[in-house]
Amino acid sequence: MNHSEHVYNGMPARELGSVGWRKPWSGPNGGNCVEALKLRDGRVALRQSSDPDGPALIYAPHEIESFISGTKNGEADFLLPT
C-alpha cells in the first residue's frame, strides 16, 4: 500500500500491507498479541495478530508516546491481574 493514501482508524489492516508489522508485546510463547506498524507519517497502526485482516487502530505519535510513558510509570498497572 502507498501509505500516502487515506489511512483511517478502523480501516482493514490488510490495506496497510503485510510488511513491517512487529510484535513488541508478544508473550514468551509468541502467541496471539498486538502487532504494530509505524507508518511513514509517524502514526502507528495496531492490529490483533489473530485477526490480521481485521480493523487497524491508528494512533498519532503523541498518543503512542503518552501510552508508553504512562505504562513505564505504572499508570496501566490496574490492568494486571492481582
Side-chain angles (χ1 to χ4, degrees):
M1 172 187 175
N2 178 348
H3 287 170
S4 64
E5 293 178 28
H6 183 65
V7 175
Y8 60 92
N9 201 30
M11 69 184 293
R14 71 180 168 279
E15 292 181 16
L16 294 169
S18 60
V19 175
W21 290 94
R22 296 177 63 174
K23 297 180 180 185
W25 300 285
S26 181
N29 297 326
N32 292 335
C33 58
V34 175
E35 295 179 315
L37 174 68
K38 189 166 185 180
L39 304 174
R40 289 186 185 141
D41 64 3
R43 292 182 293 168
V44 174
L46 299 179
R47 71 179 181 186
Q48 177 60 36
S49 66
S50 63
D51 188 14
D53 293 330
L57 301 177
I58 310 297
Y59 294 93
H62 73 274
E63 293 171 315
I64 291 296
E65 289 172 19
S66 292
F67 173 76
I68 293 172
S69 176
T71 301
K72 287 180 177 180
N73 289 330
E75 296 172 22
D77 287 355
F78 71 94
L79 297 170
L80 298 173
T82 55

